[in-house]
Amino acid sequence: MQFHSPSESANLSQKRRRRSLARGRLTLGMGLFGVAFILLTFGYIAWEQRNRLIQRNEDDLRNAAFFLADHTERLLEVTDLTLKQARALMQGQSWDQVEASQPLWQQIQAVEEALPYIDDVWLNDPSGRLRLTSAQFPAPESNVSGRDAFTAQVNRDQGLFVGEPILGRVTKAPTFMISRRLQGSDGAFGGIASVTVNLSYFYDYWSKLRLPRGSRVVLMRGSDAEVIAQYPPPSDGLSFAPIDKSAFDAALRTTSQAGLYSFISMGRERVGAYRQVGAMPLYINVSMPQDAYWRPWFVQTRLYGAFALVALLALLALTTLASQQFHEQAANAALLERQVSLRTSELRTETAALEVLNRTGSVLAAELDLDSIIESVVDAGVELTEAQAGAFFYGTAQGGKAHYGKFSSQGFDEAFAALDVWAICAPAFTEGNTVRLNNIPVEQGYDGTPFTADATPDRPVIRSLMAVPIQLRNGGTHGVLVFGHERSGMFNARSERLLAGLTSQAAIALENSRLYRNAQNEIDERKQAQTQQSLLIRELHHRVKNTLATVQAVVGATARSALNIDDFYQAFVGRIISLANTHSLLTEAVWQTASLRDIMEKELRPYNDMRGQRITLNGPAVELPSDAAVPIGMAIHELTTNAAKYGALSASRGKVSVSWEAEAADEGTRLKLVWEESGGPEVSAPTRQGFGSRLLHRVLATQLNAKVDMDFRPEGLKVALDTVLRQEPNKGPSL
């Protein structure tokens, strides 16, 4: 046996203490390094998530500004067309004639009713006095000489000018004016044609945008930063939040059409995206608070923080325990090693779970395809819970059907399919609660009889089951993740915690996928609307040319048949009103068709008696193509005018009966129409051919290839019309 001297024993003990102290210090240093690593890793992940959220918010602002600017540009284009149409309608008339013209009022009223965002149409003379408005006839006393939409047009033509928001003197509602200058051939100022747009139309449309809390949408002028409309609207309708013009002007100097900039509004820093409305000096500004990312960032990083905190606490506990154990007796070394091994294993397990969640989160953040998102979530859930079977079921809104499954080996798919998942996990589908079952001893047999299932090598049995719903931000359940294992008690509270974090990431990814699909659908719809609008404008140009040609023909024919200026005026006005009525019916159907019965009723209703027995209309519903509606409508007008002057409608007991039939033909629809008069003065053949006869025989025969028979019976005129209505080629859907 070897003995050591006291000095040698003291030296050996001192060496052991120094060695133990060095090991303790090394362990403490490694622990502090691990703590710093975890904190830095968590900080980096949180910082990256913050930058991603900020970038997403900026992209949402740019997209919203683009969509709203495009929508506003389309409205202003239609408004400009409306004002040009109003200017054309009053062409060649004095202001006194315009003020007294009820037909002109009816026309601008029809224009106003066709456009839902226009409040009223206004026509003001050079002094600013209101001469005609679609709001009422005759126009009330009003003067707009003090409005900027009027004063801006006085000195020079501003084109389409958008005025500042006002409280209407007639309507008493918050609106803004859009004006266009009226001028003669010499270029002198002749007044303005304008419309008022109700701000509520913009608010209703803008409210459908899904933007973060505190967002603000503004329509403004670029020249003076005057706010035209703002959402959310102020309480009084006009007290808008001020615009930081210096910051906006600085942004415009960098990029004049669209961009992103920061500014201060009402003492709070905001970030906004602006977009120019077409080529006009108008801009859409969509902004949100600079810290709008904070709430979603906090929600997302809270989960990462929880796992980082668990790992941090475990590492701190391990470091403290190891530091203490190194100073104890050598007999405790084995126990210390076992404890270190146990803690390391737990840390590896938590780290592996955190890596799965981080990896899945990165994949979901970059993925927008719905099927890929679901597959990634199910795969990650199987890896986290070590389940042998996993599947995704749609929620109650989609019928609860299985969408995707993953199984570890053959046989588990059949075992999983044998379970009535909807009934067993009903609280997850109907109430949004997590369901965890440690043992399912009885499952539903194929013949409907419950039985205790025994596992076989080729047919395993699912005994542990766990269902976790995916909750969206609106509270609805998008679907349910269901996992199974053949061992009892496989899932625990840790499994629930891990899957809760996974479903939170899945909910965000599914919401992003839905928003992306909605944005793509809206882009497709806008492209289709642009195509449809171009078709409608080309159709309108074609119809206006045809109408002007028809009016020119009516002027010439009326002048040739009129005996004096009064006859010419009455005949011409009546025919133009008839033409306008037919065009009104065509306009209601977007220049496609006009109802034959509606044309008849508009012409003959004024001559019917109280009992409705003087005029008889009998025939099926017939829609006249636009090319046939104008000549047939004018022919009905000429027959009605002739009956009122000389025929059955000139006598108190006279009656008019109109009947028609419609049947299918090779080239369209064959129309047979019979006009019969009775009870009027005795009829004889005319000595000369008037406008009505020429219209019936020449125009109808030329334009419609119609066969017209006129029988001047003593008891009353009878006219038979036989023609084929050819269908117009399909020009695409109308706006």
Side-chain angles (χ1 to χ4, degrees):
M1 181 178 294
Q2 185 178 4
F3 294 93
H4 298 282
S5 63
S7 59
E8 292 177 345
S9 299
N11 292 333
L12 183 60
S13 177
Q14 188 175 8
K15 289 180 179 179
R16 289 176 178 175
R17 286 196 299 270
R18 286 198 299 267
R19 189 181 298 113
S20 177
L21 182 61
R23 290 176 180 176
R25 289 174 178 174
L26 179 61
T27 302
L28 180 61
M30 294 179 63
L32 294 176
F33 175 79
V35 171
F37 176 79
I38 292 176
L39 292 177
L40 290 175
T41 301
F42 173 73
Y44 175 78
I45 294 174
W47 178 258
E48 284 296 316
Q49 191 67 20
R50 170 186 174 274
N51 293 337
R52 189 179 294 113
L53 288 173
I54 292 176
Q55 183 63 40
R56 188 186 68 183
N57 287 345
E58 292 178 354
D59 292 341
D60 290 342
L61 290 178
R62 290 189 179 96
N63 292 335
F66 171 80
F67 294 147
L68 295 182
D70 182 72
H71 173 259
T72 306
E73 181 183 0
R74 299 296 170 261
L75 294 184
L76 292 178
E77 289 176 356
V78 176
T79 301
D80 193 19
L81 185 61
T82 300
L83 294 178
K84 291 179 179 178
Q85 182 179 3
R87 183 173 63 182
L89 290 174
M90 61 176 293
Q91 192 72 27
Q93 301 183 51
S94 66
W95 280 111
D96 292 336
Q97 291 174 328
V98 169
E99 186 175 18
S101 176
Q102 190 168 10
L104 179 58
W105 172 74
Q106 293 173 344
Q107 289 175 325
I108 67 172
Q109 188 183 42
V111 171
E112 179 268 327
E113 292 175 352
L115 301 175
Y117 64 92
I118 289 181
D119 222 355
D120 288 298
V121 182
W122 313 83
L123 298 177
N124 297 81
D125 62 15
S127 66
R129 177 188 169 195
L130 177 62
R131 290 303 190 100
L132 193 65
T133 175
S134 60
Q136 64 184 79
F137 184 85
E141 287 294 328
S142 179
N143 194 292
V144 298
S145 58
R147 303 294 195 195
D148 63 340
F150 178 87
T151 57
Q153 300 283 12
V154 173
N155 294 328
R156 65 185 183 89
D157 189 0
Q158 299 286 345
L160 194 67
F161 184 82
V162 178
E164 62 187 10
I166 58 175
L167 188 64
R169 295 171 179 170
V170 176
T171 61
K172 304 302 181 183
T175 60
F176 66 88
M177 294 179 63
I178 303 177
S179 67
R180 178 165 279 282
R181 193 172 194 253
L182 300 177
Q183 61 186 19
S185 58
D186 57 352
F189 177 65
I192 64 168
S194 62
V195 298
T196 50
V197 179
N198 199 319
L199 296 182
S200 61
Y201 177 85
F202 286 90
Y203 300 153
D204 292 340
Y205 184 84
W206 292 350
S207 64
K208 299 175 183 177
L209 290 177
R210 297 182 63 86
L211 293 174
R213 182 180 301 175
S215 298
R216 185 187 304 156
V217 182
V218 173
L219 173 63
M220 57 180 289
R221 291 196 304 225
S223 58
D224 55 0
E226 180 67 29
V227 177
I228 307 301
Q230 174 186 296
Y231 181 84
S235 57
D236 62 350
L238 294 178
S239 299
F240 302 128
I243 296 296
D244 189 348
K245 190 173 186 307
S246 59
F248 181 71
D249 290 342
L252 287 182
R253 286 191 293 270
T254 303
T255 306
S256 61
Q257 291 185 342
L260 197 73
Y261 73 111
S262 300
F263 61 96
I264 304 296
S265 177
M266 304 177 68
R268 189 175 183 183
E269 187 175 4
R270 301 179 68 87
V271 60
Y274 63 90
R275 185 88 184 184
Q276 187 175 5
V277 179
M280 298 189 63
L282 294 176
Y283 290 86
I284 287 290
N285 190 329
V286 184
S287 65
M288 65 176 65
Q290 188 76 38
D291 57 353
Y293 70 90
W294 167 253
R295 183 180 297 274
W297 177 77
F298 176 78
V299 172
Q300 294 179 14
T301 55
R302 184 170 53 186
L303 175 64
Y304 304 144
F307 286 105
L309 181 61
V310 171
L312 181 63
L313 293 177
L315 184 59
L316 288 175
L318 180 63
T319 302
T320 303
L321 181 62
S323 177
Q324 293 176 352
Q325 290 296 324
F326 276 121
H327 291 80
E328 295 179 356
Q329 300 296 329
N332 297 328
L335 178 61
L336 178 61
E337 291 179 1
R338 289 194 298 270
Q339 291 179 345
V340 170
S341 176
L342 177 61
R343 296 299 185 273
T344 304
S345 176
E346 293 177 354
L347 183 60
R348 286 198 188 100
T349 302
E350 294 297 331
T351 303
L354 184 60
E355 289 177 352
V356 172
L357 288 174
N358 289 339
R359 183 179 69 248
T360 305
S362 300
V363 172
L364 295 181
E367 186 62 65
L368 293 174
D369 180 69
L370 181 62
D371 293 336
S372 299
I373 292 173
I374 292 175
E375 292 179 9
S376 299
V377 171
V378 174
D379 294 347
V382 170
E383 186 175 357
L384 287 173
T385 60
E386 299 181 357
Q388 294 172 314
F392 174 81
F393 290 79
Y394 276 121
T396 55
Q398 293 84 11
K401 60 181 179 179
H403 181 69
Y404 172 76
K406 182 178 182 180
F407 308 97
S408 61
S409 61
Q410 186 177 5
F412 280 100
D413 52 349
E414 297 181 0
F416 198 81
L419 296 176
D420 189 356
V421 175
W422 175 267
I424 296 175
C425 305
F429 288 92
T430 59
E431 302 175 8
N433 298 327
T434 299
V435 175
R436 177 159 53 97
L437 302 175
N438 295 325
N439 190 15
I440 310 176
V442 177
E443 67 178 3
Q444 187 72 20
Y446 293 109
D447 59 353
T449 304
F451 66 97
T452 301
D454 295 325
T456 60
D458 58 341
R459 188 176 183 275
V461 175
I462 302 297
R463 299 190 179 277
S464 295
L465 201 66
M466 185 171 181
V468 182
I470 298 178
Q471 300 282 353
L472 300 178
R473 288 186 295 179
N474 58 8
T477 300
H478 182 82
V480 178
L481 294 172
V482 183
F483 302 96
H485 201 281
E486 61 181 348
R487 293 206 310 265
S488 301
M490 183 63 186
F491 305 113
N492 50 30
R494 176 180 176 275
S495 302
E496 287 190 26
R497 185 176 69 252
L498 293 175
L499 290 180
L502 180 63
T503 54
S504 298
Q505 294 178 345
I508 296 173
L510 292 172
E511 188 73 12
N512 291 339
S513 175
R514 184 185 65 81
L515 291 175
Y516 174 76
R517 292 196 305 272
N518 291 343
Q520 291 298 115
N521 292 337
E522 185 171 353
I523 291 173
D524 293 339
E525 290 174 359
R526 288 184 178 277
K527 290 181 179 177
Q528 183 180 5
Q530 291 174 357
T531 302
Q532 293 170 349
Q533 188 175 36
S534 299
L535 291 176
L536 181 58
I537 291 175
R538 289 197 296 270
E539 178 69 11
L540 180 60
H541 290 168
H542 173 68
R543 298 302 178 189
V544 169
K545 291 179 180 178
N546 289 346
T547 301
L548 293 176
T550 302
V551 171
Q552 183 179 6
V554 169
V555 171
T558 305
R560 287 192 297 270
S561 60
L563 299 178
N564 51 54
I565 191 62
D566 292 334
D567 290 343
F568 170 80
Y569 175 77
Q570 294 178 1
F572 178 70
V573 169
R575 289 161 184 160
I576 292 301
I577 292 176
S578 173
L579 180 63
N581 289 334
T582 303
H583 278 224
S584 177
L585 294 175
L586 287 172
T587 304
E588 293 175 0
V590 198
W591 290 99
Q592 298 299 316
T593 61
S595 170
L596 176 61
R597 181 176 291 274
D598 290 345
I599 292 175
M600 294 286 187
E601 289 180 350
K602 280 185 177 290
E603 290 293 343
L604 293 172
R605 186 186 296 115
Y607 301 99
N608 209 349
D609 55 11
M610 297 297 293
R611 295 179 296 176
Q613 298 180 355
R614 195 177 187 194
I615 305 299
T616 303
L617 301 178
N618 185 18
V622 176
E623 294 295 329
L624 299 177
S626 57
D627 291 341
V630 173
I632 290 179
M634 295 195 67
I636 297 301
H637 170 73
E638 293 301 324
L639 289 173
T640 303
T641 303
N642 182 73
K645 288 184 176 182
Y646 314 108
L649 298 181
S650 65
S652 59
R653 296 185 179 181
K655 297 182 179 180
V656 173
S657 173
V658 185
S659 61
W660 62 89
E661 299 176 355
E663 59 184 18
D666 294 339
E667 299 180 353
T669 302
R670 178 171 292 278
L671 174 65
K672 295 180 180 180
L673 183 145
V674 178
W675 171 288
E676 291 185 273
E677 301 180 19
S678 61
E682 184 176 351
V683 177
S684 60
T687 58
R688 65 185 184 91
Q689 190 179 37
F691 177 81
S693 298
R694 287 194 298 272
L695 175 67
L696 292 172
H697 286 91
R698 298 181 183 177
V699 177
L700 294 182
T702 301
Q703 294 190 11
L704 304 182
N705 196 20
K707 180 181 178 182
V708 180
D709 292 329
M710 300 183 65
D711 186 2
F712 295 93
R713 304 176 304 171
E715 63 272 18
L717 175 64
K718 180 179 180 181
V719 179
L721 170 66
D722 186 354
T723 184
V724 175
L725 304 176
R726 292 177 173 82
Q727 298 297 328
E728 292 185 347
N730 186 16
K731 299 180 180 179
S734 301
L735 290 177

